[in-house]
Amino acid sequence: MARIIGIDLGTTNTVVAVMEGGEARVIPNDRGSRLTPSVVAFSPAGDVLVGESARNQAVVNAARTIAHVKRKMGQPVAAEIDGKRHSPEEISAFILAKVKRDAEQYLGEEVREAVIAVPANFSDKQRKATVEAGRIAGLTVLRIMNEPTAAALAYGVRGDGVQRIVVYDLGGGTFDATCLEASGTHFTVKASRGHSHLGGIDFDQLLADRVLARFREQSGFDLSGDSVLLQQVYELVERTKIELSSRTEASCALPFIAAGSQSVHLQFEIAREEFNQLISDRVQESIALTRSAVEDAGFDAVGIDALVLSGGSSRIPLVHSLLREALGVNEVALVNPDEIVALGAAVQANALAQSQQLIHLRDVVSYSLGVEIDNGRFVRLLPKNTQIPVEITRVFTTVSDNQDAVEIHVLQGEHPEAGRNESLGRFLLTGIREGSRGEPRIEVAFSVDADGIAHVGAHDVDTGARQNITVHPSPEDEGDGSRQIRRHVEVLIDRTISRRRVAGTMVDPSFAREIEDLIAHARRALARDDVKTLRECRLALETVIDELMIQTGEAGGLQERYEGA
Ligand code: AMP
């Protein structure tokens, strides 16, 4: 029987696993590593490098190296190398083809099928793009599964009855908390909360700021203008941070820094306690979101059976202690958090290979969905965390006499004012029976399918006129409230400024002006509390940060510039 592999196609690393002897195991790559960097590079000689070999040459070949392609999945963009355009699906396919080869070498047989895990809030488009990447790589993707479900599955269902599992996933840049109920072979997502800008990168920044300030105090030298040194500091603090997960004190040293005519050393001991204080607020944010998810799921009343950790940053000891305290859970399942998603995908793959229908997943809508009514108010038709698939209808009417058309404005969000929520689309329903205001009956039907895609239709009950649209609700992000989005943008402005400093003269003048304009634009939007513009600024600032990281060739943060197709 041909084996089916499970793949975690991650933003930073890709992990592949398979079921062997009744146990899911990670397959090492051709270098013996369990994690393959999700990096693809095109060498000047025209070779395609994937994984470690791509990452190792990234600094000297930044313009032809592509990382973090997962963020671009499903977008109509392409990386242009030597006049050839590569879609995100094609770039991901290089990574998938490599792990497929590694798996074949390990198993000694051809591998044709896979289960791939994706973030729970991946849209339909992003899921389809992932299937397409598999196809290009020569893999039939039998199932796309949600990462938290994979993590819960790898943890396994213990005992009889319903198990309530909380998956806490804290990675490099994002955070997700998911509450699932597992019963036999049925997994139901009860609630989830997330934050698109909370993770290891933020902790690195906080530690870097502390180290730079201390160095300034001690030596009188300000390193913030020295791009090369700053970059070394970022790499250094990440190593220190990781060390502090296993030790109570770690050193942070950068010897022989040339300062004028002399050379000075940067050398500090950082205690775990100090690091904990620095990151405590951000970690508490993730804990608060987890608690909200637990409340939404109703788990607070009945208790939690297991807390499963996923993502590299969940190894931080402070995370464990605060979580245990906040949730009242004694046992924290620490299956290797970098591998747990791939292991769960392998469990599912094995079940499919044996023709079992192992997982019956029911998911939820991440945001309330509804429509705008006449006075700018938002009417919720499907409240947040409603289980999908789902369908609902509501009857509306006209606001003026002889009105023969209505505009249906579909939004997602939690604010009672429509303008404060996110617009998903609008359409016009014409051919309404003319009559006095309030007379016509306009039925609006909302349905969300199992992939999380919403379909909205409206029809005049009397004339039968109908119109409909399909919308793609965005990934859930707690940061979409006004207060939180402001915070994101503030953090991103700071990050942009510090990355701009790192890049120094590497930034060409027109891009430098573009950055200044964007920062000014974002600050104006902050002053006006203009959520819509702030959301646009957030995306633009993120892109600028990625660009700056490419220009400075920052290891692990490289990304090719994509141009709209
Ligand atoms: P992921 O997105 O799951 O690959 O997580 C990557 C993030 O986890 C990066 O910010 C890493 O610096 C961080 N990370 C990895 N290992 C550790 C560790 N042992 N302690 C703290 N952070 C870690």
Side-chain angles (χ1 to χ4, degrees):
M1 185 179 53
R3 265 167 321 157
I4 306 175
I5 52 175
I7 302 173
D8 173 8
L9 180 59
T11 308
T12 326
N13 293 298
T14 294
V15 186
V16 56
V18 73
M19 204 74 166
E20 264 191 331
E23 228 180 276
R25 275 175 219 243
V26 169
I27 298 179
N29 66 18
D30 55 352
R31 296 183 174 221
S33 313
R34 299 163 75 81
L35 273 60
T36 298
S38 305
V39 183
V40 175
F42 297 83
S43 79
D47 297 325
V48 179
L49 307 174
V50 182
E52 281 101 341
S53 54
R55 193 188 52 193
N56 294 345
Q57 56 79 70
V59 175
V60 293
N61 188 28
R64 302 162 69 86
T65 302
I66 300 161
H68 299 163
V69 68
K70 184 172 181 175
R71 294 191 197 153
K72 306 281 179 188
M73 290 297 270
Q75 291 183 27
V77 292
E80 196 168 323
I81 311 273
D82 297 334
K84 192 165 185 288
R85 297 168 72 80
H86 300 273
S87 67
E89 291 81 338
E90 284 163 354
I91 298 297
S92 296
F94 284 120
I95 302 168
L96 291 173
K98 163 150 177 60
V99 298
K100 175 181 185 286
R101 277 195 306 275
D102 287 337
E104 287 172 341
Q105 202 159 23
Y106 176 87
L107 296 170
E109 63 183 47
E110 198 187 351
V111 173
R112 290 196 213 97
E113 295 171 322
V115 170
I116 304 182
V118 299
N121 50 30
F122 247 29
S123 70
D124 186 47
K125 248 194 214 154
Q126 291 167 303
R127 285 163 199 262
K128 285 188 179 134
T130 307
V131 173
E132 174 63 8
R135 193 195 61 74
I136 301 169
L139 282 170
T140 303
V141 180
L142 294 182
R143 172 101 32 122
I144 290 286
M145 73 186 302
N146 288 333
E147 289 168 7
T149 315
L153 192 59
Y155 168 75
V157 183
R158 326 232 152 151
D160 297 331
V162 177
Q163 300 279 304
R164 292 169 194 92
I165 303 174
V166 177
V167 179
Y168 174 98
D169 176 6
L170 187 61
T174 59
F175 169 70
D176 284 294
T178 310
C179 296
L180 298 105
E181 266 181 9
S183 167
T185 59
H186 290 253
F187 282 74
T188 306
V189 175
K190 303 300 285 185
S192 64
R193 295 263 180 160
H195 197 310
S196 58
H197 300 83
L198 177 53
I201 295 165
D202 301 282
F203 307 152
D204 297 345
Q205 183 74 50
L206 289 163
L207 192 52
D209 291 345
R210 170 61 60 91
V211 165
L212 290 170
R214 268 224 245 162
F215 184 69
R216 206 164 37 236
E217 260 167 43
Q218 208 179 62
S219 69
F221 294 114
D222 185 355
L223 300 185
S224 58
D226 187 325
S227 55
V228 177
L229 274 175
L230 264 190
Q231 205 179 308
Q232 288 175 351
V233 169
Y234 283 120
E235 284 164 22
L236 178 71
V237 297
E238 187 182 8
R239 284 198 299 273
T240 307
K241 170 190 79 174
I242 290 175
E243 218 176 313
L244 285 171
S245 286
S246 53
R247 302 176 47 176
T248 52
E249 198 170 75
S251 63
C252 191
L254 210 57
F256 302 110
I257 296 171
S261 56
Q262 24 164 335
S263 79
V264 288
H265 308 296
L266 181 156
Q267 163 110 48
F268 300 114
E269 289 297 312
I270 308 275
R272 185 188 282 170
E273 199 44 48
E274 181 179 2
F275 176 64
N276 285 352
Q277 278 168 13
L278 279 178
I279 64 166
S280 159
D281 282 357
R282 302 298 333 257
V283 176
Q284 288 288 9
E285 258 181 76
S286 74
I287 307 274
L289 289 169
T290 310
R291 286 176 76 132
S292 306
V294 166
E295 280 162 26
D296 291 348
F299 286 6
D300 48 337
V302 283
I304 296 161
D305 299 298
L307 173 62
V308 177
L309 301 185
S310 174
S313 302
S314 72
R315 291 176 188 273
I316 295 174
L318 179 71
V319 167
H320 298 196
S321 53
L322 291 180
L323 262 178
R324 264 203 297 265
E325 207 177 292
L327 302 184
V329 178
N330 288 325
E331 207 194 314
V332 180
L334 237 190
V335 186
N336 198 337
D338 308 310
E339 301 177 352
I340 190 164
V341 168
L343 293 172
V347 173
Q348 168 72 308
N350 184 59
L352 290 172
Q354 297 179 353
S355 316
Q356 296 171 3
Q357 277 296 310
L358 185 60
I359 298 193
H360 305 271
L361 176 74
R362 282 174 68 84
D363 236 307
V364 292
V365 288
S366 312
Y367 280 119
S368 298
L369 292 168
V371 293
E372 177 173 353
I373 55 170
D374 180 50
N375 47 9
R377 272 194 310 122
F378 175 59
V379 180
R380 277 187 223 203
L381 294 184
L382 289 174
K384 181 182 163 95
N385 286 331
T386 303
Q387 290 217 333
I388 57 173
V390 67
E391 208 175 323
I392 190 173
T393 54
R394 268 282 265 285
V395 176
F396 293 87
T397 188
T398 50
V399 290
S400 42
D401 293 338
N402 298 324
Q403 183 180 338
D404 64 355
V406 285
E407 189 191 50
I408 312 283
H409 184 197
V410 184
L411 302 115
Q412 68 177 13
E414 312 310 321
H415 206 279
E417 283 170 43
R420 305 286 293 264
N421 293 318
E422 180 161 2
S423 172
L424 294 176
R426 309 166 176 263
F427 62 98
L428 204 60
L429 177 67
T430 53
I432 294 173
R433 179 174 71 88
E434 293 193 16
S436 311
R437 60 190 279 242
E439 251 179 34
R441 286 179 299 158
I442 300 156
E443 197 175 82
V444 175
F446 256 72
S447 70
V448 181
D449 64 23
D451 291 322
I453 310 298
H455 310 271
V456 186
H459 93 278
D460 180 327
V461 179
D462 301 317
T463 67
R466 41 180 90 237
Q467 194 55 259
N468 57 65
I469 54 165
T470 298
V471 295
H472 296 265
S474 321
E476 177 195 24
D477 179 8
E478 289 304 318
D480 274 40
S482 155
R483 190 175 61 81
Q484 274 136 331
I485 198 159
R486 289 179 61 86
R487 242 201 101 165
H488 283 171
V489 171
E490 281 160 7
V491 168
L492 286 170
I493 289 175
D494 288 350
R495 233 188 250 171
T496 306
I497 291 169
S498 73
R499 295 287 174 194
R500 167 72 187 88
R501 248 187 246 136
V502 171
T505 52
M506 285 183 250
V507 175
D508 76 62
S510 70
F511 185 37
R513 259 195 314 280
E514 201 183 300
I515 297 171
E516 277 166 29
D517 290 349
L518 175 60
I519 290 173
H521 184 56
R523 284 186 170 144
R524 280 195 298 272
L526 278 171
R528 288 198 312 268
D529 201 16
D530 175 350
V531 175
K532 188 165 166 280
T533 308
L534 284 171
R535 202 170 280 136
E536 287 160 9
C537 288
R538 176 169 68 181
L539 206 64
L541 287 164
E542 278 175 344
T543 309
V544 161
I545 292 168
D546 279 345
E547 290 276 323
L548 286 168
M549 285 163 83
I550 296 165
Q551 301 208 352
T552 54
E554 188 160 324
L558 298 167
Q559 186 164 302
E560 177 61 352
R561 178 174 197 157
Y562 286 97
E563 267 123 39

